[in-house]
Amino acid sequence: MAYQWMSKRMQDRNINIGNHLPIWLWAFQPTFATLYELVSEHQFSQGICLIEVDVPREQATFSCYQQWNIFLDYCIENKRVPIIDNKYRKMFTSFHSLQHNGIQVTLPCLRREWISQVKDLTEYRRSDKWSENNSLILNHNSTRELI
């Protein structure tokens, strides 16, 4: 029901999502710290890619990742969408001052022509200093351009 609610917000912004659920992504390339909060070592070992996209702005809905999770938690715990007030509406307006990892984007679909690059993260690892520089460290060059 939370995903349907987000779909409706997208439709309110004239984004044609049809009967599909939104696709979530970060507005900026995530740091390694963010990836390891959300993806386990086991998932990395099974194969994972980072897809970089260039999406027309009119197809994207930007929002605050933290406020979305508060909304999502409410829906899961209460098995219903909360009464929508400014507390939840501000997820679409209060993200401008957030750090990169705090901004999420929802799309109605992912079109091939929007994909600019795919990075295979399977070979990424934590460096000894990854938490200090908070960046992605690569064992070998596994970035490939899509043709």
Side-chain angles (χ1 to χ4, degrees), residues 44-124:
F44 268 98
S45 72
Q46 299 300 304
I48 188 168
C49 290
L50 178 70
I51 302 171
E52 293 181 10
V53 296
D54 186 15
V55 178
R57 188 159 184 82
E58 64 273 4
Q59 292 294 312
T61 300
F62 292 81
S63 60
C64 173
Y65 177 71
Q66 180 182 22
Q67 290 176 344
W68 163 254
N69 280 294
I70 292 168
F71 177 83
L72 186 59
D73 288 345
Y74 181 94
C75 293
I76 292 169
E77 290 174 19
N78 296 285
K79 296 184 179 18
R80 66 179 182 86
V81 172
I83 295 172
I84 304 303
D85 57 17
N86 288 336
K87 175 181 177 183
Y88 297 109
R89 284 192 183 102
K90 71 180 180 180
M91 83 172 70
F92 299 107
T93 59
S94 64
F95 63 86
H96 300 287
S97 63
L98 295 173
Q99 303 251 339
H100 289 175
N101 291 330
I103 304 172
Q104 67 179 5
V105 180
T106 51
L107 303 177
C109 61
L110 184 59
R111 295 194 173 136
R112 182 170 179 78
E113 62 265 21
W114 295 346
I115 298 173
S116 59
Q117 191 175 147
V118 176
K119 293 180 181 178
D120 182 352
L121 300 185
T122 308
E123 298 300 321
Y124 278 70

Side-chain angles (χ1 to χ4, degrees), residues 12-24:
D12 291 347
R13 290 172 170 74
N14 295 318
I15 298 173
N16 183 7
I17 192 163
N19 292 328
H20 304 285
L21 294 176
I23 295 173
W24 264 262

